[in-house]
Amino acid sequence: MSATPTSFDDGRPGPAPAGAVSVLGRLYRRDLGAYPPTGRRMSYLAIVVVTTVVLYYMLYVQYAVATSIITHFGMTYRYFVWVSVVGNAVGAFASLAAGLADRWGRANMVVYGLLAASLLVFFGLPNAGGKAAYLVMFAAVSLIEGVVLVATPALIRDFSPQLGRATAMGAWTMGPVVGSLVVTTVTSTTLDTSSWQDEVRYSGAAGLVVFVVALFALRELSPALRDQIMVTLRDRALVEARAKGLDPAAGRRGEWRQMMRPDITGSALAISLYLLLYFAAVGNFVVFFATTYGYTEQRANAVANWYWAANAVALVAVGVLSDRLRVRKPFMIVGAVGSIAATAVFATRATHPGTDYYTFAWLFVCIGVFSGVAYGPWMASFTETVEKHNPAATATGLAVWGWTIRIVVAVSTAFIPVLVTSVTPLVDHGTQVAAAQRQAGPALRVVGAHPRLFAELGAYPPGKAPAALTARAVREVGPADLAVVRKAQPQLALLQKYGTKVQKASHDGPGQWRDWWWICIAGQVVFLPFVFLMAGRWSPKRAREDAELHRQAVEQELALLAAERS
């Protein structure tokens, strides 16, 4: 416990007696004065998880239709990358501001943030007047996401005791994963008949539906309740008794300084590096498969579904098992080692043009499962590590994590085009070059049969060649074939300008992507030593002993409180 008994008022409106809050008042006064029963608690957790899913659906849908957006706005690939970089940088600093959720509460940030994001996505992005307007509006959506990235896991922590935390956090971490799965599922089944604007609007409409539910149903614990550590649901009576005499502001003094510790900042950086492959999957799988294997947007999204589905199942299943065994660290180690091995196989196979769809699918299943084994228990352990220092600073600790992960995303996103230089010419001109080659096929055959002659003709502007050279061309090639070449001049000019660059990029691309996949593996390796800094036991037996000691301590304190009242 970090809060101390006092009658000090922290300035926030406290929970009102039952029936004292008007209907309109309930739309912004969401504090609960008592810990909710299981049914209501589970409904709050479900609303937070669904809110997280739909927010990431809105955020990630642009990457599933990336090539269409680039074409529509006439963006270069590098410009599109910087849309993501700017968005993540804005989201990072919004995450720091969301640390104020410890002072202002979490639920209103989530509810009204979801409304703002849904309106921007439904009305703003599809109707952007140009690429600059699109960048600004996407940055605004990312700003809101940065806030909710902190507020939603804080709510999950508040409504889940430590001995159910991994299951709850596993459900929360399904938010971005299931959001990605929804994106790829919807786009892979509707892109035949829908434009990219329609795909974006679908996500905005989903956000507005969830907003209506959250507006009327989502609540949060009062500061005095949430600023305590709850190990099991049996602690409820003690937590509520303590809350009656706590100063909610006391535990928030020096909160940022308390969070600047290696087990918090180092762990936040470690998980961010561990997730480099996940970030690449969200932002670059469509581009990777389109440029390296010629997949359509639909097919690229469909193969990614295997990753998201396996990851989602693993997050919840491992969360349940982690709570049952009462340990986190063994799962983090097993998951990290497994994902390192599976990603290494992927990195070696991703350079082979003969690697088929289902090979990638099963590799993604392995990577998704092992990533879920590591990440779900990590989220539970991280909140428990923050609680070890100060339970009243949960949102502040999560803000540190949110800032770190967003900065890593921004830097890694900006770095990919620097390392994978093949992507820019392939995305910017690959489709044009392929179309030009098809259209100019007969002309290319004519030119290929007379390379020296057409090299001489190419030294002059069209129609300006010397008469003798022109007569020679008519004699050697024939009027009909010359007409074919003349008609294909626009396509031939485009091939001359970009063809060599695109051809070189097609050759270099797989090797450059392989280098990035190995960097992702290095990030997973860096994650391993930081597991040892985090809170929690390695042995299930020792964890059970801790739980028994805690149970006895709670019973003794409740007995003392009962004796004081009698």
Side-chain angles (χ1 to χ4, degrees):
M1 277 298 302
S2 59
T4 55
T6 178
S7 60
F8 182 79
D9 181 2
D10 72 342
R12 290 187 65 211
V21 182
S22 66
V23 173
L24 288 177
R26 285 174 59 86
L27 300 183
Y28 67 91
R29 297 188 62 172
R30 300 176 181 275
D31 287 358
L32 297 171
Y35 201 80
T38 299
R40 286 174 56 201
R41 182 172 64 88
M42 297 302 289
S43 69
Y44 299 144
L45 289 170
I47 291 170
V48 174
V49 170
V50 173
T51 298
T52 308
V53 169
V54 78
L55 188 76
Y56 280 97
Y57 174 25
M58 291 189 288
L59 187 71
Y60 289 167
V61 69
Q62 77 149 4
Y63 302 112
V65 290
T67 53
S68 299
I69 292 174
I70 289 170
T71 302
H72 178 85
F73 288 109
M75 298 178 183
T76 63
Y77 175 71
R78 192 174 294 273
Y79 189 95
F80 183 78
V81 166
W82 278 96
V83 170
S84 181
V85 171
V86 170
N88 280 292
V90 169
F93 290 95
S95 295
L96 286 182
L100 293 170
D102 281 325
R103 299 175 183 271
W104 297 345
R106 294 90 147 101
N108 283 328
M109 283 186 171
V110 171
V111 171
Y112 297 107
L114 178 60
L115 172 62
S118 301
L119 293 175
L120 278 168
V121 169
F122 191 87
F123 294 106
L125 291 178
N127 299 306
K131 60 185 181 181
Y134 185 91
L135 185 153
V136 170
M137 281 187 278
F138 184 77
V141 175
S142 299
L143 182 147
I144 297 164
E145 182 269 343
V147 172
V148 179
L149 177 74
V150 171
T152 48
L155 282 167
I156 294 288
R157 173 265 171 191
D158 295 345
F159 286 121
S160 58
Q162 288 186 354
L163 292 187
R165 184 75 51 79
T167 304
M169 281 298 176
W172 180 84
T173 51
M174 283 176 60
V177 173
V178 176
S180 300
L181 180 61
V182 171
V183 168
T184 54
T185 300
V186 173
T187 54
S188 62
T189 55
T190 61
L191 263 176
D192 276 339
T193 56
S194 302
S195 65
W196 72 264
Q197 292 96 331
D198 292 330
E199 300 294 344
V200 171
R201 289 190 186 99
Y202 296 156
S203 67
L208 290 170
V209 171
V210 176
F211 159 73
V212 172
V213 176
L215 177 67
F216 294 103
L218 186 59
R219 296 288 177 266
E220 66 177 308
L221 299 181
S222 66
L225 287 172
R226 68 170 183 250
D227 288 356
Q228 302 180 64
I229 296 175
M230 179 178 276
V231 177
T232 75
L233 287 173
R234 290 191 298 269
D235 299 353
R236 175 181 175 181
L238 180 58
V239 166
E240 291 177 348
R242 287 171 173 169
K244 295 177 181 177
L246 289 181
D247 168 12
R252 293 194 293 272
R253 293 166 189 157
E255 55 196 356
W256 286 101
R257 176 179 50 79
Q258 293 169 342
M259 296 299 106
M260 295 295 110
R261 299 172 184 268
D263 56 349
I264 293 176
T265 57
S267 297
L269 178 61
I271 196 64
S272 301
L273 295 174
Y274 177 83
L275 293 172
L276 280 175
L277 182 68
Y278 168 82
F279 304 143
V282 170
N284 295 285
F285 266 10
V286 170
V287 171
F288 166 70
F289 282 107
T291 57
T292 306
Y293 289 93
Y295 284 16
T296 63
E297 284 179 330
Q298 285 176 290
R299 188 167 177 80
N301 285 315
V303 76
N305 282 347
W306 293 78
Y307 178 95
W308 306 126
N311 194 231
V313 172
L315 284 166
V316 175
V318 172
V320 172
L321 187 57
S322 175
D323 284 333
R324 180 159 300 202
L325 296 177
R326 303 179 182 184
V327 292
R328 320 295 191 204
K329 293 179 179 179
F331 292 98
M332 290 188 261
I333 295 294
V334 169
V337 171
S339 66
I340 289 168
T343 308
V345 175
F346 168 69
T348 59
R349 298 306 305 166
T351 59
H352 296 280
T355 305
D356 64 19
Y357 177 96
Y358 285 103
T359 299
F360 283 123
W362 285 109
L363 283 171
F364 287 163
V365 168
C366 294
I367 296 170
V369 167
F370 283 117
S371 298
V373 171
Y375 189 35
W378 183 89
M379 279 298 303
S381 181
F382 184 76
T383 58
E384 290 159 6
T385 301
V386 171
E387 287 178 334
K388 180 181 73 174
H389 296 295
N390 183 358
T394 296
T396 306
L398 288 168
V400 172
W401 161 73
W403 181 87
T404 304
I405 202 168
R406 282 288 169 247
I407 289 296
V408 168
V409 174
V411 172
S412 65
T413 302
F415 185 70
I416 285 178
V418 176
L419 178 66
V420 190
T421 56
S422 61
V423 173
T424 300
L426 286 171
V427 172
D428 291 351
H429 307 296
T431 303
Q432 292 173 292
V433 167
Q437 284 179 318
R438 288 193 303 271
Q439 295 165 7
L444 288 170
R445 285 191 290 272
V446 173
V447 172
H450 307 276
R452 300 180 93 181
L453 174 62
F454 281 100
E456 292 180 50
L457 287 170
Y460 302 96
K464 302 294 184 181
L469 182 59
T470 302
R472 178 185 155 204
V474 171
R475 186 172 60 253
E476 294 183 14
V477 178
D481 283 348
L482 278 177
V484 169
V485 173
R486 193 175 299 113
K487 183 179 179 181
Q489 280 304 306
Q491 290 79 22
L492 293 173
L494 188 145
L495 289 172
Q496 185 176 18
K497 185 174 182 180
Y498 299 118
T500 302
K501 293 179 182 178
V502 169
Q503 185 178 29
K504 183 178 186 301
S506 297
H507 177 269
D508 296 343
Q512 292 175 349
W513 278 112
R514 179 195 56 208
D515 294 341
W516 181 250
W517 305 138
W518 281 107
I519 289 173
C520 294
I521 292 168
Q524 294 176 14
V525 172
V526 169
F527 170 79
L528 288 168
F530 286 91
V531 173
F532 294 85
L533 298 181
M534 302 183 76
R537 295 288 192 182
W538 290 90
S539 165
K541 180 181 177 182
R542 296 292 301 276
R544 286 194 298 270
E545 292 171 355
D546 289 346
E548 177 59 25
L549 290 173
H550 174 78
R551 185 190 63 79
Q552 294 173 8
V554 169
E555 289 179 354
Q556 290 173 3
E557 190 167 352
L558 283 172
L560 286 173
L561 287 172
E564 289 174 3
R565 291 172 181 169
S566 60

